[in-house]
Amino acid sequence: MTAHTDIDIRIEGKAGRITLTRPKALNALTYEMCRAIDRALKSWAGDPTVALVIIDAAGDKAFCAGGDIAEMYATGKAGDFDYGRRFWRDEYRMNARLAEYPKPVLAFMQGFTMGGGVGLAGHVSHRIVGDSSKVSMPECTIGFVPDVGGSFLLARAPGRLGEYLGLTAARMLGADAIHAGFADHFIPESQWPGLIGQLCDSGSPDGVLQAAKTPPASELADLQPRIDALFSAQDLTSLRNALAADDSAFARDVETALARAAPLSAATTIEMIQRLRGPSLTIRRALELEYRVAHRIMEQGDFLEGIRAAIIDKDRDPKWRFADSAVPAVAVSALLRPLGRDTLDFREDSMQIAFIGLGNMGAPMAANLAAAGHDVTGFDTAGTSADGVTMAASAKEAVKDADVVITMLPNGGILRAVADDIIPAMAAGAVLLDCSTVDVASARAVADQAAQAGLGALDAPVSGGIGGAQAGTLTFMVGGSPDAFEKARPLFDIMGQKAVHCGPSGNGQAAKICNNMILGATMIVTCEAFSLADKLGLSREAMFDVVSTSSGYSWSMNAYCPAPGVGPTSPADNGYTPGFAADLMLKDLRLAQQAAESVDADTPIGEAATELYRRFVEEEDGAGRDFSAMLPRFETRGRS
Ligand code: NAD
């Protein structure tokens, strides 16, 4: 189901399986891996063939040593904070989805399970540790704060373990993790493969309880009274004073560990845990608070410096913003202030969308999607952009994390070329939604190509023109699978007022060209009739009044009247500035003729309309004018 090499997502027996396959990087979680996990979780939630979800990882060193921060560092250092914010935001949403998942989720945490790894395994229904598990939240040592829902676990940990684990990054062995509430079951790792096989076969998590053993004694449990005494301090300065007054070896160890934490991070972590601790704590509250810090940490915190010292220059000598005991309370509250419109939300309908082709139609359609709260990344070879849309340097880059890729391009040839480029770069399970008007054969070829790559595909040409694109009142005529149609439905609801599922791939284009063949022909005959009425001495107002309420009525007459000053406002009232250009009408009529030929359909009026628009655009003054400018054309002509 996935083309990623860093993660293997598939269904085995009755289990949805997610295996991290980056053991050389200690299975560090990239943004793409997060997105792939989230997509899989979404699709399995309502899939009756998936009874439970198993998350595990390749290699014996680590389940997952955290988020992959290299890209965040590179972009943040260049002053681009958006990438990091997007990564965190989508990762936290995925953490919440895991915590609230409607089916059992089992995570197997061998070796290092840190930060982002805790976000993956620490909130699920069955959290399994073994002989090699080493669980920790080391964010303060890189100038960040415990996140991915870590603050939720820390705030719920017994006594003051939360402060201790968050500030010192202490490593918990399996038994410690169970004691602290980061894990549920201890199962020797030699038994994991057999257990996983059994879980896939049975679709029931009951085998976990049968396999679970009493964990070895927890050292952390033994330390608990001393930790509670030391960490009852309300702030960083009091904690340091308490440590200085304690001459035990444990107090020295804590001091050493604390010296590695960025002081601003440590002070903020204490404040976060204290705010969160209590009966009203939920995973969403914790993630929302964490995201306030994440959103600001590159600008206002020590994060970039922390990564530099830890993984870039590796000098382990970070220059933190504040000295040990001198973190001003205002710096902490500045990180934790509410974010207003940037607040992390958990709206289900928020999708990552790529929009290729931001022309007359595409730009307003993309802007409407962004205004509705979707994350839209755009690309256009002409360098055009749209409100609220993040621009990418290439089509490939725009599509790589998208749930849905929308194309709004001039013709089938360009669509095929763009599809060749982007399909290999699209994420598994994503949907390619082409809204351009193209020939049926191109639509079907692109849909086949997408299906072969494990993607959904829809051809969804529109009617309604630029006005409809701006107002979000387009009509979509859609070909493709019912599944893909359902996935795209919320987007149709934003960009349009109606979406009709016309059947399999290509049928959307078929509906579009049939509709536009009628439109072209009715516009011509409406213009002919006005010109005839002129010559017969019938006023245009009278003609409109009669026809618009009689059997000759049509959209061309009633909604788009080609006579200036008559009927509702239309391009005729604006000197025939398109609107819908005659060139585009000619394109659609040609597509209809091409299709008619391919299936041997007799379409004499369509053929005549095509020829009239061809002459108008290619031999007369129709190019660049609205398609209703046929009326002035007829006005100047006689019968010959
Ligand atoms: P447009 O020419 O304004 O927009 C097309 C955009 O695609 C341009 O900005 C162009 O730069 C971009 N583009 C071309 N090649 C590209 C590539 N390889 N990669 C990325 N971008 C590329 O046209 P439009 O009016 O927006 O129409 C788009 C489609 O919608 C067409 O298929 C048209 O037939 C259809 N349509 C238009 C209308 C209308 O009223 N304009 C109505 C219904 C349907």
Side-chain angles (χ1 to χ4, degrees):
M1 173 168 169
T2 175
H4 279 285
T5 53
D6 295 341
I7 190 163
D8 185 9
I9 294 180
R10 69 249 181 240
I11 293 176
E12 260 177 39
K14 296 177 177 151
R17 296 216 45 191
I18 298 170
T19 304
L20 313 184
T21 51
R22 273 189 101 195
K24 285 201 180 112
L26 300 181
N27 294 314
L29 210 54
T30 62
Y31 185 34
E32 274 147 48
M33 290 160 77
C34 284
R35 306 268 319 150
I37 293 169
D38 205 36
R39 266 194 302 275
L41 291 172
K42 273 194 224 169
S43 78
W44 291 338
D47 181 342
T49 66
V50 174
L52 49 78
V53 175
I54 298 171
I55 307 178
D56 64 353
D60 51 15
K61 282 215 184 68
F63 166 69
C64 169
D68 189 322
I69 44 190
E71 179 88 8
M72 275 196 193
Y73 178 80
T75 51
K77 210 55 199 162
D80 166 14
F81 306 128
D82 282 348
Y83 171 82
R85 287 170 180 166
R86 224 178 330 136
F87 187 155
W88 277 312
R89 191 199 52 202
D90 290 340
E91 183 178 16
Y92 296 179
R93 285 177 176 159
M94 181 267 283
N95 298 143
R97 190 181 307 286
L98 281 166
E100 297 164 354
Y101 207 62
K103 300 181 180 183
V105 182
L106 302 97
F108 291 82
M109 298 178 248
Q110 81 276 22
F112 292 112
T113 301
M114 311 199 281
V118 171
L120 265 187
H123 309 299
V124 303
S125 61
H126 296 72
R127 304 169 299 176
I128 294 148
V129 284
D131 331 74
S132 72
S133 306
K134 291 185 269 295
V135 183
S136 62
M137 294 302 290
E139 289 80 5
C140 283
T141 64
I142 53 160
F144 193 28
V145 295
D147 70 332
V148 294
S151 67
F152 171 81
L153 297 170
L154 294 174
R156 291 210 317 181
R160 299 283 163 165
L161 279 190
E163 282 89 341
Y164 169 68
L165 295 168
L167 267 58
T168 64
R171 262 181 211 167
M172 295 176 272
L173 301 183
D176 302 326
I178 292 174
H179 174 73
F182 280 63
D184 306 301
H185 307 287
F186 184 91
I187 301 176
E189 284 161 34
S190 57
Q191 296 181 22
W192 290 7
L195 175 60
I196 289 174
Q198 185 199 327
L199 292 165
C200 294
D201 291 343
S202 69
S204 157
D206 293 349
V208 169
L209 288 179
Q210 286 145 24
K213 300 275 182 296
T214 307
S218 158
E219 200 184 325
L220 196 60
D222 292 344
L223 287 170
Q224 177 95 46
R226 303 166 74 179
I227 290 172
D228 289 352
L230 276 172
F231 283 82
S232 61
Q234 291 299 310
D235 57 42
L236 195 54
T237 308
S238 324
L239 171 60
R240 288 194 189 284
N241 292 341
L243 284 168
D246 183 330
D247 55 11
S248 69
F250 178 63
R252 297 292 76 71
D253 290 348
V254 171
E255 270 180 339
T256 309
L258 198 54
R260 286 194 284 268
L264 175 60
S265 297
T268 308
T269 301
I270 295 177
E271 173 72 20
M272 288 169 71
I273 293 173
Q274 287 176 357
R275 278 197 203 180
L276 292 172
R277 189 177 274 139
S280 61
L281 176 58
T282 61
I283 183 84
R284 290 186 181 208
R285 246 193 89 210
L287 289 164
E288 191 271 314
L289 186 65
E290 291 168 2
Y291 184 71
R292 297 182 194 183
V293 182
H295 187 85
R296 301 183 168 111
I297 198 73
M298 295 207 215
E299 262 176 311
Q300 285 169 235
D302 288 309
F303 182 65
L304 292 173
E305 173 62 8
I307 301 180
R308 183 205 61 74
I311 68 162
I312 307 294
D313 299 341
K314 297 195 167 87
D315 59 18
R316 311 216 173 266
D317 185 22
K319 304 283 180 283
W320 302 128
R321 268 168 208 242
F322 300 105
D324 271 2
S325 293
V327 180
V330 55
V332 173
S333 53
L335 282 176
L336 291 171
R337 267 201 327 267
L339 279 171
R341 61 188 288 270
D342 291 319
T343 301
L344 176 70
D345 63 50
F346 297 91
R347 269 204 318 246
E348 262 314 306
D349 58 359
S350 178
M351 285 191 213
Q352 186 100 10
I353 297 168
F355 210 114
I356 313 296
L358 297 166
N360 289 322
M361 296 293 289
M365 290 163 75
N368 284 339
L369 292 171
H374 292 292
D375 230 308
V376 188
T377 304
F379 176 74
D380 190 299
T381 41
T384 49
S385 61
D387 284 350
V389 173
T390 309
M391 297 310 295
S394 67
K396 261 196 191 132
E397 190 193 312
V399 305
K400 70 178 165 37
D401 296 315
D403 300 302
V404 175
V405 174
I406 304 179
T407 45
M408 195 53 173
L409 298 163
N411 58 51
I414 294 178
L415 172 67
R416 285 180 193 239
V418 169
D420 282 344
D421 186 33
I422 61 175
I423 284 177
M426 282 174 64
V431 170
L432 177 56
L433 169 59
D434 176 47
C435 296
S436 333
T437 306
V438 303
D439 56 290
V440 177
S442 291
R444 291 190 172 145
V446 166
D448 283 350
Q449 199 180 341
Q452 275 163 27
L455 305 170
L458 294 170
D459 52 295
V462 303
S463 83
I466 298 168
Q470 286 164 343
T473 55
L474 296 168
T475 295
F476 290 86
M477 303 147 232
V478 191
S481 75
D483 277 1
F485 181 73
E486 282 312 314
K487 187 158 178 190
R489 191 196 284 279
L491 307 184
F492 295 137
D493 289 344
I494 295 163
M495 297 186 287
Q497 60 189 358
K498 190 168 180 193
V500 182
H501 190 205
C502 303
S505 294
N507 281 21
Q509 298 296 351
K512 167 78 184 176
I513 55 177
C514 290
N515 179 73
N516 278 20
M517 189 171 80
I518 296 171
L519 174 64
T522 57
M523 180 55 81
I524 290 170
V525 80
T526 303
C527 293
E528 283 177 8
F530 267 118
S531 159
L532 171 61
D534 289 346
K535 291 185 178 171
L536 295 174
L538 175 64
S539 81
R540 288 183 172 184
E541 283 76 12
M543 161 93 168
F544 178 81
D545 278 354
V546 172
V547 175
S548 64
T549 53
S550 301
S551 47
Y553 80 95
S554 70
W555 187 84
S556 298
M557 173 61 85
N558 292 36
Y560 207 90
C561 182
V566 178
T569 306
S570 69
D573 301 304
N574 191 22
Y576 296 100
T577 304
F580 183 45
D583 323 48
L584 287 175
M585 175 47 86
L586 174 60
K587 167 190 158 182
D588 293 356
L589 288 167
R590 280 178 166 154
L591 290 175
Q593 287 311 295
Q594 188 183 329
E597 256 165 54
S598 74
V599 293
D600 192 29
D602 188 20
T603 54
I605 300 292
E607 199 176 331
T610 310
E611 175 53 19
L612 269 169
Y613 272 106
R614 187 201 65 73
R615 262 193 263 156
F616 185 46
V617 169
E618 293 181 355
E619 294 169 13
E620 301 164 8
D621 63 349
R625 303 185 78 192
D626 189 74
F627 84 120
S628 60
M630 274 283 169
L631 176 52
R633 173 189 187 276
F634 282 115
E635 278 168 13
T636 58
R637 304 171 71 90
R639 275 190 82 75
S640 59

